Amino acid sequence: NFRDSGTGTNNQLIAVNGTVLYNLANGAWISKRTGLTSGAKSRFTTFLDYVFHVNGSDTTNTWDGSSSSFGTTNASSAPIAKFADTFKSRVYLAANNTNPDRLWYSTVPDSSNLITWDTGASGQWIDIAPQDGENLTGIKRFGRELLVYKANNMYRYLGIAGTDPDPLIRVGTQSQESVIEAKDGVHFHHPGSNSIQRYSGGYPQE
């Protein structure tokens, strides 16, 4: 559900079915992006009045809600990623098959509301505990932290200045879709204990 700021003239409902991304317009589903990898789970985030589309297999694309199709504005050099969120005036993209523990971040917007990406060897990214034997399963902005999930560990990313160096929180989730923010914190399913955990700062509570 892409929400455009201002008067909301470009608010759009978007869905992916098979290899095609559609939006609902005047009671009909209109194709906006084709040739997607079948079976790849699509996820979205919104920044600068663009919706960012990732699925872990295909090029990261964006849409302003009014153009004829998805394009590469603010994502022309962005990495392929499985997960996306916004945090501290940047877009964060996480994990792909080549770099399953990596968290990439954009620049902050310039005066023209444009962002860029540097995915090079010394670029704008950080690997989240690649030595812990697990790979990223989701990310979620919560207050002043970006929560980074693995199946049995959770890390707190505070910005480009730092993150938890070790898995201080020994619960995580296997599914980005189980991570839901409510008024009392962020709730998620931990498969190891088969429980719902709530994080509101400190250590999660079952």
Side-chain angles (χ1 to χ4, degrees):
N1 186 7
F2 170 51
R3 309 301 295 177
D4 184 34
S5 65
T7 60
T9 55
N10 293 328
N11 292 348
Q12 298 286 353
L13 188 63
I14 303 168
V16 174
N17 184 28
T19 62
V20 181
L21 184 154
Y22 301 90
N23 89 285
L24 185 63
N26 299 320
W29 289 100
I30 308 300
S31 172
K32 291 296 180 181
R33 189 179 184 191
T34 62
L36 299 175
T37 300
S38 179
K41 183 177 288 293
S42 289
R43 298 180 174 97
F44 304 89
T45 195
T46 297
F47 192 61
L48 301 174
D49 279 339
Y50 281 85
V51 59
F52 287 70
H53 172 226
V54 300
N55 67 6
S57 297
D58 300 304
T59 303
T60 298
N61 267 198
T62 61
W63 189 45
D64 62 5
S66 64
S67 301
S68 59
S69 61
F70 274 66
T72 58
T73 300
N74 284 328
S76 60
S77 55
I80 292 172
K82 295 181 179 180
F83 312 106
D85 208 337
T86 59
F87 181 62
K88 292 187 175 181
S89 297
R90 300 174 189 265
V91 176
Y92 281 79
L93 302 178
N96 58 32
N97 292 334
T98 302
N99 297 289
D101 297 302
R102 188 155 294 181
L103 186 66
W104 294 269
Y105 52 89
S106 71
T107 59
V108 297
D110 63 17
S111 59
S112 300
N113 271 348
L114 297 175
I115 57 175
T116 59
W117 301 82
D118 183 354
T119 60
S122 58
Q124 297 161 192
W125 54 266
I126 180 174
D127 283 335
I128 305 296
Q131 77 284 357
D132 71 354
E134 298 185 329
N135 299 138
L136 299 189
T137 57
I139 59 175
K140 175 65 177 177
R141 180 187 68 223
F142 178 64
R144 297 181 179 180
E145 302 170 331
L146 183 67
L147 305 179
V148 181
Y149 289 92
K150 298 190 177 187
N152 293 292
N153 295 304
M154 188 177 81
Y155 298 85
R156 294 164 297 188
Y157 178 82
L158 306 177
I160 59 176
T163 187
D164 287 338
D166 297 299
L168 302 178
I169 298 176
R170 293 289 190 174
V171 291
T173 187
Q174 286 183 327
S175 173
Q176 169 79 70
E177 282 62 52
S178 86
V179 182
I180 303 294
E181 183 175 356
K183 63 182 180 181
D184 59 346
V186 172
H187 298 246
F188 58 94
H189 176 254
H190 177 228
S193 60
N194 193 26
S195 64
I196 300 298
Q197 301 281 329
R198 182 185 69 219
Y199 176 79
S200 55
Y203 203 87
Q205 301 297 310
E206 184 172 329

